[in-house]
Amino acid sequence: MTAPARDGFGHDTTADEVLAGIDLSGKLALVTGGSSGLGAETARALAARGARIVITARNLDKGEAVAREIRAATGADVVEVDELELGSTASIRAFADRFLGKHDALHILVNNAGVMACPFERTADGFELQFGANHLGHFLLTNLLAPALLAGAPARVVSVSSRGHRMSPVVFDDILFERRPYHKWLAYGQSKTANVLFAVELERRLGARGVHAYALHPGGIVTELQRHLSQEDIDELIRNAPGGDLRLKSIPAGAATSVYAATAPELEGRGGLYLEDCAVAERNEEEGMTSGVRSYALDPDAAQRLWSASEELLGQRFPL
Ligand SMILES: NC(=O)c1ccc[n+]([C@@H]2O[C@H](COP(=O)([O-])OP(=O)(O)OC[C@H]3O[C@@H](n4cnc5c(N)ncnc54)[C@H](OP(=O)(O)O)[C@@H]3O)[C@@H](O)[C@H]2O)c1
């Protein structure tokens, strides 16, 4: 269900293959959740093409270990690590202050960090954790960094969503699971739909000023993301996959669609798109964990409503 990809790009294309021939010298890229999995590989691949990189980590030692590996693999000496806990608005504000104190312009923001299917938990500010960290945290971060993105235009904001968005729209009547029983997959699905809607509304607000926004499904990749899953959960994921096959990707292939969204020349000047396998995905309203994007995730009215609801929850307006 995807539109034709560039030069045979597809499921197994790696981040290095996407970036071949692309020069990122002079560009600054910020990757959240760079301490593990897809974020670490996204940062490495962008650094290998000359970008200066800031990765965020909850655990600075873990982030520094990734930064050392990136420096060793690429020869790049321009990899910074800074602390960011997306489940705390105080941490996000402190990070943004430090970032803006050091950097005037930001060219690529990859909102990659995420938590999946965890037991019910609240963020430091009392929000259900998956919506709070995956969506609200990145919403606040991006808004705080908007002056640097506008100064860096043309700039791109990449939201790492998931095929999991197919499991739930944003349930505006009870976003934080205050009146319905908590369901770890519906909460993940809702947060990942919010990632797509955020890209739609951010594009509407900033696209004309040269900041374009994208959301994507990276593929199914074995990383620390599965840390909360039991064997039973994994068996169920396999049963629900089309043809009973998860079609897993390697980590280098899992980071490919993120760097494609961040750099592909053919995406220049447009955004508000949902990508998978290094191409723009088509709409697909089928039930189940198949490819394509559900229309509720691209709905411009829901995207505006989510922006307002997010402002209300955070108690701050962001009139970009
Ligand atoms: N892997 C897949 O199959 C898959 C499929 C679809 C979508 N995705 C999406 O891809 C993104 C990256 O996932 P991954 O597979 O690379 O998983 P991962 O290896 O678990 O990496 C997630 C990253 O996010 C960070 N993180 C988690 N919660 C955070 C919080 N509250 N505040 C700040 N940082 C936080 C983690 O920090 P720590 O290192 O401290 O844990 C880690 O750096 C996620 O958004 C995920 O939803 C992945």
Side-chain angles (χ1 to χ4, degrees):
M1 296 299 290
T2 48
R6 171 166 39 121
D7 297 338
F9 282 6
H11 182 272
D12 296 320
T13 306
T14 65
D16 285 334
E17 287 166 352
V18 167
L19 292 173
I22 291 182
D23 179 10
L24 297 176
S25 47
K27 303 284 185 196
L28 178 64
L30 169 59
V31 181
T32 68
S35 54
S36 173
L38 306 184
E41 173 63 4
T42 298
R44 184 208 58 76
L46 294 171
R49 304 308 309 174
R52 286 174 299 134
I53 304 289
V54 179
I55 58 175
T56 75
R58 298 187 283 191
N59 172 335
L60 280 179
D61 290 341
K62 196 174 171 189
E64 288 294 354
V66 169
R68 278 195 297 278
E69 281 170 27
I70 294 175
R71 290 185 201 110
T74 63
D77 194 27
V78 282
V79 185
E80 285 174 35
V81 183
D82 203 347
E83 188 175 352
L84 175 65
E85 166 54 70
L86 287 159
S88 158
T89 55
S91 172
I92 297 165
R93 290 181 192 283
F95 169 81
D97 282 350
R98 289 192 301 276
F99 185 92
L100 294 173
K102 278 191 269 185
H103 305 287
D104 295 331
L106 175 60
H107 306 97
I108 296 171
L109 168 58
V110 185
N111 286 327
N112 162 85
V115 56
M116 179 175 81
C118 52
F120 184 80
E121 203 180 312
R122 290 186 202 281
T123 67
D125 303 275
F127 307 126
E128 182 280 314
L129 178 61
Q130 298 193 71
F131 186 81
N134 296 354
H135 167 66
L136 277 180
H138 283 125
F139 174 85
L140 177 59
L141 177 71
T142 306
N143 273 293
L144 295 174
L145 298 185
L149 288 162
L150 287 163
R156 296 191 185 186
V157 178
V158 177
S159 293
V160 182
S161 173
S162 171
R163 181 168 290 178
H165 82 272
R166 307 184 67 82
M167 293 187 282
S168 176
V170 173
V171 178
F172 287 102
D173 291 345
D174 189 13
I175 290 180
L176 301 180
F177 290 86
E178 290 163 323
R179 287 182 297 285
R180 53 183 170 144
Y182 180 67
H183 186 298
K184 64 186 182 183
W185 286 116
L186 294 184
Y188 183 65
Q190 170 176 260
S191 76
K192 292 289 143 178
T193 293
N195 290 158
V196 189
L197 291 172
F198 177 52
V200 169
E201 181 61 10
L202 194 65
E203 176 69 24
R204 190 184 75 77
R205 289 173 181 247
L206 294 186
R209 287 182 273 165
V211 179
H212 293 286
Y214 309 87
L216 62 97
H217 170 58
I221 308 100
V222 177
T223 63
E224 293 181 32
L225 190 70
Q226 293 86 24
R227 68 189 88 186
H228 297 292
L229 302 190
S230 63
Q231 188 55 50
E232 214 172 286
D233 289 325
I234 293 168
D235 293 345
E236 193 178 339
L237 284 180
I238 295 169
R239 268 198 308 280
N240 291 339
D245 182 358
L246 288 172
R247 294 199 70 213
L248 293 176
K249 290 185 182 187
S250 66
I251 288 181
T257 306
S258 294
V259 302
Y260 179 81
T263 64
E266 62 267 37
L267 297 178
E268 201 49 62
R270 63 201 185 110
L273 303 168
Y274 175 92
L275 315 172
E276 57 190 353
D277 293 340
C278 305
V280 179
E282 289 180 0
R283 290 183 193 236
N284 180 356
E285 306 308 335
E286 270 173 59
E287 290 297 326
M289 297 303 287
T290 182
S291 61
V293 57
R294 297 287 295 260
S295 288
Y296 60 60
L298 294 176
D299 176 359
D301 294 335
Q304 289 192 40
R305 191 173 174 193
L306 176 65
W307 190 283
S308 303
S310 304
E311 289 179 324
E312 199 166 309
L313 287 166
L314 291 167
Q316 185 176 352
R317 293 211 55 230
F318 296 102
L320 291 183

